[in-house]
């Protein structure tokens, strides 16, 4: 087998470096593997961790949730409901834009919530699983997880 | 009491809401504040249009501000040396104002959770105590107010006198060791005897929650009635405010002409005699329209919204369940009415 030439090696090294560099510029919350950690935590039924990585105000569909205890109720009920995110996959993960709020609810309150409470670069992550799909609003990092600011699920 | 005949108002598209807000707010901010004297656990202060921040001893709470306590939180406030307010865990407490007989009056509003209130001095103007379903006028009073997950309220008097009004029916007068419950959209219930320390919020709210989960459609229907009552007030106040504002604009426009023709003193006289009363009326209408608009917002967010998030997450894999469908249908009706009649009166700072 012929050894690769110095020029080819340099090109490969450059390409790898470029890939690593571009990966590190993707914000933590927009990386699919980090959204996957939230999904795995849900499937493990770990409400405590889900609580810890959620912040208030929190958005559930079109409702703004102000109290942490109410966010706890949401995660507890979702886990207790028997919902399993089987074969869950991150279908898309991107920074929110001026129209993203409509995916949660096309209302003045949700629009203002997006403008007021979501930092630039907040990720909207679309997750599909066997039997359905949902959206997550993720931003920043807390103990190795992205911070969950909202969820759109069900009606 | 807030008279049902007192129909009041504010600015929608095209009318100068912010100008009027600027006129209204600074004049009474300093006089109407409550100061945080103690905090324990998680206690946040939410000022309109600003990020929610941790509350500290010494912080001032002004009209429009809210104190939000976490499940381990407790806050104590003192209002102008006249009253002590204890905000218990899991509570959303907001300082509001309303105009009554030409005078501004504070409303200590509990959207969710519980509040203990002690008025220290007779002779001052006592505030009103409000929940999403009732308002209480007080006189030399020590009382507890509970606001439940289903939007109902419980008022328990430890000393003094309290008059409690619901969305309909006759007010109920309470004295020491008496209490009354008010469901959203309803008249106050029967008076009950309550001994000191006999009722605690957790037990009371757990009962309300059980009833809500048993029949969420019935609970949502009561919230709909309460929302309709707020919307009726808003719909009555809005045209009156528009009329008052148009009159104010007309009268103000006369001032330069009066000054030009009759001099500065004539302008001042006309302003004091004619313009000022119209200005005061417009301000009063505006203040009350804000009060009912923000009360509707609290009902939507802390009662209906909490019901929705609780039930939707519970029935997430069974949304065709008739119990959930029954609730969801009424929820959608309320949201549609709210979007049509309340949202146009909100500003971004309210969210």
């Amino acid at each position: 087998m012929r050894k690769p030439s110095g020029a080819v090696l340099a090109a490969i090294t450059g390409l790898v470096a470029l890939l690593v560099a571009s990966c590190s510029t993707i914000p933590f919350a927009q990386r699919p593997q980090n959204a996957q950690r939230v999904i795995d935590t849900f499937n493990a039924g770990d409400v405590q961790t889900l609580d810890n990585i959620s912040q208030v105000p929190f958005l559930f569909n079109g409702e703004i949730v102000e109290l942490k205890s109410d966010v706890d109720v949401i995660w507890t009920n979702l886990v207790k409901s028997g919902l399993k995110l089987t074969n869950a996959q991150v279908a898309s993960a991107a920074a929110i834009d001026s129209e993203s709020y409509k995916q949660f609810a096309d209302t003045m309150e949700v629009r203002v919530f997006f403008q007021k409470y979501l930092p630039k670069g907040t990720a909207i992550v679309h997750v599909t699983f066997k039997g359905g799909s949902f959206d997550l609003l993720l931003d920043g990092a807390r103990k190795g997880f992205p911070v969950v600011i909202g969820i759109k699920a069900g009606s | 009491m807030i008279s049902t005949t007192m129909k009041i108002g504010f600015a929608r598209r095209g009318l100068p809401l912010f100008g009027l807000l600027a006129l209204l707010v600074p004049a009474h901010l300093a006089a109407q504040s409550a100061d945080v004297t103690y905090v324990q656990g998680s206690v946040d202060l939410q000022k309109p249009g600003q990020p929610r921040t941790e509350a500290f001893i010494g912080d001032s709470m002004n009209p429009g501000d809210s104190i939000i306590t976490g499940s381990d939180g407790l806050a104590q406030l003192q209002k102008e040396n006249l009253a002590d307010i204890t905000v218990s865990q899991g509570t959303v407490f907001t300082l509001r104002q309303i105009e009554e007989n030409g005078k501004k009056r504070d409303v200590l509003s509990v959207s969710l959770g519980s509040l203990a209130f002690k008025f220290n001095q007779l002779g001052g103007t006592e505030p009103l105590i409000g929940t999403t379903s009732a308002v209480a006028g007080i006189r030399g009073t020590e009382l507890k107010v509970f606001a439940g997950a289903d939007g109902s309220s419980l008022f328990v008097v430890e000393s003094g006198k309290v008059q409690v009004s619901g969305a309909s029916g006759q007010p109920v007068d309470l004295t020491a060791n008496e209490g009354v419950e008010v469901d959203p959209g309803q008249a106050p219930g029967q008076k009950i005897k309550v001994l000191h320390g006999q009722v605690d919020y957790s037990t009371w709210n757990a009962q309300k929650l059980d009833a809500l989960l048993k029949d969420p459609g019935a609970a949502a229907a009561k919230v709909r009635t309460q929302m309709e009552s707020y919307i009726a007030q808003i719909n009555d106040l809005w045209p009156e405010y528009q009329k008052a504002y148009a009159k104010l604009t007309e009268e103000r426009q006369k001032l330069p002409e009066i000054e030009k023709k009759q001099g500065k003193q004539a302008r001042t006289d006309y302003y004091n005699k004619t313009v000022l009363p119209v200005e005061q009326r417009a301000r009063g209408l505006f203040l009350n329209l804000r009060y009912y608009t923000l009360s509707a917002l609290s009902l939507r967010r802390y009662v209906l919204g909490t019901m929705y998030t609780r039930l939707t997450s519970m029935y997430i894999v069974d949304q065709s369940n008739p119990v959930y469908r029954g609730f969801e249908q009424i929820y959608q009706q309320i949201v549609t009415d709210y979007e049509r009649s309340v949202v146009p009166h909100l500003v971004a700072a309210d969210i």
Side-chain angles (χ1 to χ4, degrees), chain B residues 198-258:
Chain B
Q198 199 183 36
V199 183
D200 80 280
Y201 176 72
S202 306
T203 312
W204 178 81
N205 194 42
Q207 289 165 359
K208 296 291 155 195
L209 201 53
D210 283 348
L212 162 66
L213 297 178
K214 209 172 170 184
D215 192 352
K222 287 180 183 174
V223 173
R224 181 175 55 194
T225 309
Q226 182 68 54
M227 187 62 84
E228 284 166 355
S229 155
Y230 286 140
I231 288 173
Q233 294 279 7
I234 291 166
N235 289 343
D236 285 345
L237 291 166
W238 172 237
E240 285 212 37
Y241 169 73
Q242 284 179 300
K243 222 187 294 173
Y245 187 78
K247 177 83 177 154
L248 181 61
T249 307
E250 186 191 313
E251 293 298 341
R252 276 177 175 166
Q253 281 168 350
K254 291 179 187 167
L255 290 171
E257 192 62 19
I258 290 169

Side-chain angles (χ1 to χ4, degrees), chain A residues 20-41:
Chain A
V20 169
S22 66
C23 192
S24 66
T25 60
I26 298 174
F28 185 84
Q30 287 178 35
R31 294 181 206 163
Q33 66 270 29
N34 293 328
Q36 189 65 46
R37 291 198 71 191
V38 177
I39 296 163
D40 294 343
T41 305

Side-chain angles (χ1 to χ4, degrees), chain A residues 32-81:
Chain A
Q33 66 270 29
N34 293 328
Q36 189 65 46
R37 291 198 71 191
V38 177
I39 296 163
D40 294 343
T41 305
F42 181 86
N43 279 336
D46 186 354
V47 172
Q48 184 67 54
T49 299
L50 292 168
D51 270 353
N52 289 342
I53 62 170
S54 300
Q55 75 167 42
V56 284
F58 185 89
L59 191 64
F60 182 72
N61 296 351
E63 295 294 340
I64 298 168
V65 181
E66 297 268 11
L67 297 177
K68 199 91 169 90
S69 56
D70 289 335
V71 178
D72 172 58
V73 168
I74 292 170
W75 287 125
T76 303
N77 285 351
L78 288 173
V79 166
K80 273 190 182 170
S81 72

Side-chain angles (χ1 to χ4, degrees), chain B residues 6 13 51 113 127 133 137-138 140 146 227 232 236 239 249 289 312 338:
Chain B
M6 189 176 58
R13 294 177 196 101
S133 60
I138 58 176
F146 296 170
M227 187 62 84
D236 285 345
T249 307
L289 183 55
T312 302
Y338 171 87

Side-chain angles (χ1 to χ4, degrees), chain B residues 12-27:
Chain B
R12 205 143 56 164
R13 294 177 196 101
L15 282 179
L17 168 61
F18 293 105
L20 244 132
L21 270 176
L23 271 175
L24 276 167
V25 178

